[in-house]
Amino acid sequence: MASADRVMIDSFGRVVRDLRVSVTDRCNFRCLYCMPEDGLPWLGADDLLTMDELIRALRVSIDLGVRTVRITGGEPTLRRDLVDVVAALAPLGVELSLTTNGYLMDRLARPLRDAGLKRANISLDSLERDRFKRITRRDGLERVLRGIDASLEAGLAPVKINTVVVRGFNDDEVLPMARWARDLGVELRFIEFMPLDAPGEWTRDQVVPAGEILATLEEEFGLVPPEARGSAPAERYRYRDGNGSVGIIASVTRAFCAQCDRVRLTADGQVRTCLFATTEYDLRTVLRSSGDDEAVARCYLDAVARKQWGHRINEPDFVQPARGMSQIGG
C-alpha cells in the first residue's frame, strides 16, 4: 500500500488512481476519425515495452496508489501475449479492464476472463453494416456483435459500449443505438468527437454536443438526473422507466479535468498525464537503464507533479497532440 507521501498527486491536489496502459499501437480497423486508410507507421518490436517491463511499470504504479488499470491500444487484442499479460497483471491487486474494438473478442473473451480480466469497453459506432464498413474501412459488424455476445457470456461485467458521435456521420443513430443497448442490457456511452485524429482533420462543427444527445434521449425515453460521477469520465443517467442507464463523455463541451485521476502509459513506454498532453516522460529508458524501482517511481511522480490543469480544447492556443488516439491509447 502506498504511504501518504508516496501517492501520485499533482500541483492541483488531484490524486492519480487510474492508469491507462497501451500494449500496442497497431489496429485492425482504419476508422475515418482516427487514422488514414493506409494506417500509420507502426512501432518496431524493440520499441514496445516487453511483458516484464509492463509488469514492473504497473507494480511500481500500484505502490504509488494506482487502483484501476485499463488496457488499451491501438487494438490491444492484436498483442499476441495479451492473455499472458493479463494473467501476470491480475495478481497485482488492481481492477483490470480492457478497451477494444471487439473484433477478436469472440475467441478471446473467455481466455481473458479466465486470466483475470474483470470488465470490457467495446467500441461500436454504427449498427448498420454498410455504415460500419464505411467508418472502420472493414466489413466487421457481425464479428464485433459476436464479440459483444461472447464478452457477456464469458462473464465480463460490466460490458459497456463506446460510441463516438460525429455530425453527419452517425448522429442519426443515437436512438437506434440506445434502443439496442437497452434491449441487450449493456450500458451505452456516447462520446463527443475529440481532436485526436491522426490526420488532424477534426473540426468543431463535427462535434455533436452532449446537450443535444441528452435532449434526444430525454424526449424518447426520459432521463433521471445524473448520478455523482466522482472521477469517472462518463456522466451516467438512468432511464426513467428503470431499464438501464446511458453515459455521456463530453470532453469537448463539458470538460471534467477538475476530477481527473488518470495518467497514461503508451506502448513505447512514455508517461502522458493527459490525452491532449504535448509533453511525454520517458519511462522506457528508465526501465531499461536502471534496476532501481525508485527511479521508475520518480519518473511517475515527476510527470504527475507537472500535470496541467486541463486540456485547453476550447482555448485559442490549443495545440492538437502530435500523436493520435491509436498511438496514445484511450
Side-chain angles (χ1 to χ4, degrees):
M1 181 70 68
S3 62
D5 61 343
R6 295 293 288 177
V7 296
M8 291 185 278
I9 184 168
D10 68 21
S11 61
F12 303 98
R14 296 171 296 193
V15 179
V16 171
R17 301 294 188 194
D18 181 86
L19 182 62
R20 308 293 171 95
V21 182
S22 174
V23 295
T24 181
D25 62 326
R26 295 174 184 262
C27 189
N28 45 2
F29 286 1
R30 299 290 184 270
C31 295
L32 287 171
Y33 58 75
C34 185
M35 68 172 66
E37 185 171 3
D38 295 333
L40 296 164
W42 307 128
L43 293 168
D46 292 341
D47 296 321
L48 295 172
L49 292 184
T50 66
M51 185 168 73
D52 288 343
E53 289 167 345
L54 277 170
I55 295 165
R56 184 179 173 208
L58 265 292
R59 179 172 49 78
V60 173
S61 77
I62 292 166
D63 289 342
L64 295 173
V66 163
R67 293 295 171 262
T68 57
V69 172
R70 179 176 297 281
I71 298 172
T72 70
E75 172 45 46
T77 58
L78 292 182
R79 179 154 174 153
R80 293 182 179 181
D81 62 354
L82 179 63
V83 173
D84 295 331
V85 169
V86 170
L89 296 179
L92 297 181
V94 293
E95 183 176 312
L96 204 55
S97 61
L98 177 78
T99 294
T100 172
N101 62 27
Y103 189 77
L104 298 177
M105 290 297 281
D106 58 345
R107 62 179 178 83
L108 284 175
R110 177 65 64 179
L112 287 168
R113 179 69 181 91
D114 291 345
L117 188 71
K118 299 300 184 185
R119 51 195 179 94
N121 288 7
I122 300 177
S123 299
L124 179 64
D125 297 324
S126 178
L127 291 169
E128 297 181 10
R129 179 180 176 183
D130 289 343
R131 179 176 286 173
F132 179 96
K133 184 177 179 180
R134 191 160 64 250
I135 292 174
T136 65
R137 301 186 175 105
R138 299 290 186 269
D139 188 8
L141 176 59
E142 293 304 318
R143 182 81 180 266
V144 172
L145 294 175
R146 290 201 303 271
I148 293 170
D149 290 340
S151 298
L152 292 167
E153 291 167 5
L156 293 172
V159 173
K160 298 180 180 180
I161 307 301
N162 291 342
T163 299
V164 177
V165 186
V166 183
R167 179 81 66 194
F169 219 46
N170 62 346
D171 51 324
D172 61 334
E173 284 196 73
V174 168
L175 289 179
M177 291 287 297
R179 294 187 191 103
W180 167 79
R182 278 162 52 89
D183 290 344
L184 189 61
V186 297
E187 181 178 306
L188 181 64
R189 308 193 319 169
F190 291 111
I191 303 174
E192 290 182 342
F193 181 31
M194 295 178 282
L196 286 167
D197 58 314
E201 297 172 350
W202 178 89
T203 59
R204 189 168 294 275
D205 61 1
Q206 295 172 296
V207 178
V208 180
E212 181 177 328
I213 296 170
L214 288 169
T216 299
L217 296 171
E218 169 66 30
E219 183 177 0
E220 178 73 10
F221 305 111
L223 300 172
V224 176
E227 306 166 3
R229 71 182 183 196
S231 60
E235 195 169 46
R236 297 179 69 243
Y237 294 76
R238 288 182 291 113
Y239 290 113
R240 193 166 294 152
D241 64 3
N243 186 16
S245 60
V246 63
I248 301 289
I249 301 179
S251 298
V252 178
T253 66
R254 300 182 182 182
F256 41 88
C257 303
Q259 292 79 39
C260 180
D261 70 343
R262 288 168 293 286
V263 294
R264 287 170 168 79
L265 183 62
T266 65
D268 56 350
Q270 306 302 304
V271 177
R272 296 178 62 93
T273 58
C274 176
L275 270 175
F276 302 95
T278 55
T279 301
E280 298 180 337
Y281 301 86
D282 187 2
L283 187 63
R284 184 183 63 191
T285 295
V286 177
L287 288 165
R288 293 182 178 180
S289 63
S290 172
D292 181 7
D293 283 355
E294 177 58 28
V296 177
R298 180 50 53 191
C299 183
Y300 279 123
L301 291 166
D302 288 349
V304 172
R306 294 172 172 81
K307 182 178 173 75
Q308 294 184 326
W309 168 249
H311 55 49
R312 303 189 67 79
I313 289 176
N314 297 305
E315 302 299 326
D317 61 350
F318 173 72
V319 176
Q320 184 167 333
R323 297 218 249 186
M325 175 70 88
S326 66
Q327 297 165 312
I328 295 170

